[in-house]
Amino acid sequence: MAEKKLFLLDGHALVYRAHFAFINRPLINSKGVNTSAITGFVRTLWDLMQNQKPTHIAVAFDPKGGTFRNEMYPEYKAHRDAQPEDIGIAIPHIIDILAGFKIPMICIDNYEADDVIGTIAKQAEKEGFKVYMVTPDKDYGQLVSENVFMYKPSRSGNGVEILGEKEIKEVWGIDRIDQVIDSLGLIGDSADNIPGVPGIGPKTAVKLLEEFGSMENILANADKVKGKNGERLKEFADQARLSRELATIKLDVPIQFNAKEYNIDPMDKEVLTLKFQELEFRTLATQILGEEPNFAGTQGSLFSNQPTKSSSSEPRFAPAKEVEYAVVKKNITNTPHDYQLVDTKEKRTQLIKTLSQQKTISFDTETTGIDAHIAELVGMVFSFEKGKAFYVPIPEDQDEAKSIAAEFKELLESKDKLWVGQNIKYDAIMMKWYGVDMNGPYFDTMIAHYLCEPDLRHKLDYISEAYLKYQMVPIEELIGKGKNQLTMRDIAIEKVKEYAGEDADITLQLHPEMESLLKDLDVTKVFDTIEIPLVNVLRDMEYEGVRLNAAFLESYSKDLEKLIYDTEKSIFKKAGVQFNVSSPSQVGQVLFEKLEIPYRWRKNSSGSYSTDVEKLDELSVNHPIVAEILEYRKYSKLKSTYVDSLPKQINPRSNRIHSNFNQVRAATGRLASDNPNLQNIPIKNDAGREIRKAFEPRDSDHILLAADYSQIELRLIAEISNDEAMLEAFIAGNDFHRATAAKVFGVPYDDVTADQRRSAKTVNFSITYGAGATNLSRQLGISRTEATDLITNYFTQFNGLKRYMDDTIEFARENGYVITLMGRKRLLRDINSRNGLIRSNAERVAINTPIQGTAADLIKIAMINIHKALKDAKLKSRLILQVHDELVFDVYKPELEQLKVMVKDLMTNAMPQLKVPILVEMGTGNNWLEAH
């Protein structure tokens, strides 16, 4: 007889887990619905259905309102934050999806989901079922028996955990399963506001249970327990018994298990199709329904015989203005269009003549890859009228390709047209490699959407669905994906023409939509004066690239290899055992079991020790082996991430490194760097700084110049908060951290010690970005009380800063956004959330964004002005890198002094309206480290 497997899911626990798994990057669809919880829940459900093959299944939810536990103890869960609004929206969708799966949903008044699951689990076990309780909640361990297991879904790639009696006893450190409840009675549970016995933690509870066997026996023998613990056990005996009762999962809920009701039945595809369509779950629809959805079809025929592939179920975009959404119905197959192939000299000549008469033209390139510095041009496409586009194929022969590009050179370099594009910087770089220097002006739909919705993503297909209700052809439909992926060069020209034409056509149609959106949110000025002028600055900077000394890095790699080897040997010697230092679990076992270093934190969900940097940093002060493990990790990361990988990214065309500077990734407005990421090369340690030696001038006639804004964010905090004490320190030209220490510690400026200055520096950067007393105490190695006093004194001295923080949060609550000095906005959808954690995150963002965003605007304006000045003066020197608050130039030596004056002036005066003085520090050298 086949094994009977019943899976019981704790609905609320899984929904919360899924929601917070995406808390830093929520999944938002084009209707503005946060689908994080729904997506995570459905993925968990489908994963276990596919991989565990249950024969029976059900989902239990908590009832609305309180339960019998609140009657026993009114404070039970009373301190919990309100349920996040997005979870309230998600649960009805999840219930609909469960109905589509024909999975029973159970909710019993006055009982929590764990009571329902516990009751059913024990009934089903008696009927010969193996029962799996699907939950991340550790309290379920009390229910585990020979045929009842905890099933903890995968998280952060750790894989699924199935815990039986053996595993539960190991996790809790107990001898019998019933001791789980005794442990909870003694320890309590802060998450549920179960008090337990004050001062009794997990380790003490384990020792007491090991000695006395049960909680009742511990309480009966409290006089035998030495010290304060004995006194506490006597004083709080009744509280311990109450806590044990509150933590006990009931097994007598009024419900009777009926196996037939829990059978896995065929799903209702029609119900699920409509729900997945509504939520825009393309990938999940494909995985679960076994077909590929055409969400652009009518409701009666959502799955056609020739389905359109979808690339992902990534989040869609919530528009900043009110848009009435309908089901996305339009696509290339049902929308009239005329995309023409322009494949002869005569046709190209006529097209150029026609385009020359237009004022607004959408332009796009089709290429062999996503790296514009390596890819080859496959085609150019133009659109100036809705529903029409003109595709110009480019041959593989590069001489012919450049010849055709040259035919369009005068047109594309024209300054009297508005060039509309989606990520037009890519197309401008591509054309520059083919001898065409586009000047603009531009309208970039991707950048426009970014300015209006900086926390979301900005792919063309998502914006198209949100604002045009049009589903585009995914690139995967043409070229596939994975190891068998083709390039656009391999695809039939008729197919490429349709795909390319759609890109240009839809981008053109989005132009008025995005233009209106910019006006509605009043960010047109930032778009016109900062982001769009920056496009060609970044294009030229990326095109120039930077020279990399691969031989130096090859030699340094060997040095690091020796450092790694020597550090590993020293670690082994201190540990008295050899182990894999790169394995977090083995590191945990050695540190906390073999060496018995006290472990003060919760273990991971798998029961293993956490050995993240924050915890090891804290331990490294008193334990040299921990400091060496951190050194080992640092050297290993430097070697693999930078030293060994950077030479592989040297461009074969130019023999230089060409990083991509992304305008639309950081919601604050900061530029991001990738392929390679040059902004994350460490500067705070010697080993990391050494990597900068590999970045060199182009030849012996050039030298590197680095220009860096000094303490720019602190200066802008002083400016924006208008705090008199902060402004006074900067205007006087004092060392700001020393000036802070003098005020906070109440000593004369000249008497500030190095330790006091270091503490003040930590405080300056921590408090202004929302760090509380706990965080500050850890950073400074002081008590929480001392940290609290330090924060109080800090805000007494800098009361303008505290006023700014309070006023900014209040402004955000009233208006739903914050704004930089230049008018860049960031929408804060959670600023008024009833959930404290979510609201506090939004409040930190509200405080940080005007500062970080203004710093981003400042350096962007400086880059624009410097780029123009270089061109106007016809200098040979070039801006080649932007890293945080630093600009790096490849300088023609005869121009050095002229450039230093120019750069300092334009960086200092990028925002002439500022009261606070802006300081720019400069250096030169034959490599980046020397210059910095």
Side-chain angles (χ1 to χ4, degrees), residues 230-244:
E231 295 172 16
R232 290 167 178 154
L233 287 166
K234 292 175 186 175
E235 181 181 354
F236 295 100
D238 289 341
Q239 186 167 291
R241 293 185 179 97
L242 172 64
S243 297
R244 187 184 191 280

Side-chain angles (χ1 to χ4, degrees), residues 143-187:
L143 299 172
V144 169
S145 58
E146 183 181 357
N147 289 301
V148 177
F149 305 87
M150 273 187 70
Y151 178 101
K152 297 179 76 172
S154 173
R155 185 166 190 175
S156 303
N158 290 332
V160 167
E161 289 182 78
I162 297 178
L163 286 71
E165 292 177 294
K166 176 176 175 290
E167 290 79 13
I168 293 296
K169 286 188 278 192
E170 287 176 357
V171 168
W172 285 83
I174 54 179
D175 297 322
R176 305 186 316 274
I177 292 296
D178 63 274
Q179 290 177 323
V180 169
I181 309 174
D182 289 330
S183 294
L184 287 168
L186 293 167
I187 302 163

Side-chain angles (χ1 to χ4, degrees), residues 560 563-568 570-571 581 613 616-617 620 623-639 684-688:
L560 281 177
L563 272 173
I564 292 167
Y565 176 75
D566 290 345
T567 306
E568 187 179 53
S570 178
I571 291 168
V581 187
V613 172
L616 294 191
D617 264 336
S620 65
H623 302 282
I625 187 173
V626 179
E628 288 194 333
I629 288 170
L630 287 171
E631 288 289 291
Y632 174 92
R633 286 183 179 180
K634 178 180 72 180
Y635 297 144
S636 298
K637 183 176 180 179
L638 286 175
K639 187 175 184 298
K684 292 184 179 179
N685 60 72
D686 291 338

Side-chain angles (χ1 to χ4, degrees), residues 731-745:
I731 290 169
N734 291 332
D735 176 332
F736 184 69
H737 299 311
R738 179 178 286 271
T740 300
K743 286 187 174 295
V744 172
F745 294 109

Side-chain angles (χ1 to χ4, degrees), residues 203 592 597-604 608-610 615:
K203 287 186 178 179
F592 306 118
I597 293 174
Y599 183 80
R600 301 189 295 276
W601 306 276
R602 285 187 176 186
K603 290 184 178 181
N604 293 326
S608 61
Y609 300 100
S610 172
K615 294 181 179 64

Side-chain angles (χ1 to χ4, degrees), residues 511-524:
H511 169 222
E513 295 285 337
M514 294 297 104
E515 194 169 48
S516 174
L517 197 58
L518 290 167
K519 289 177 182 175
D520 288 348
L521 281 173
D522 195 22
V523 288
T524 302

Side-chain angles (χ1 to χ4, degrees), residues 9 11 41-42 45 49 57-61 91-106 267-268 271-272 275-276:
L9 284 67
F41 182 91
V42 175
L45 174 65
M49 289 178 73
I57 194 166
V59 180
F61 281 94
I91 287 176
H93 289 294
I94 290 171
I95 291 171
D96 288 346
I97 290 169
L98 291 173
F101 275 110
K102 297 184 180 177
I103 292 174
M105 193 278 290
I106 312 166
M267 68 184 80
D268 187 328
V271 169
L272 290 176
K275 179 54 66 172
F276 290 160

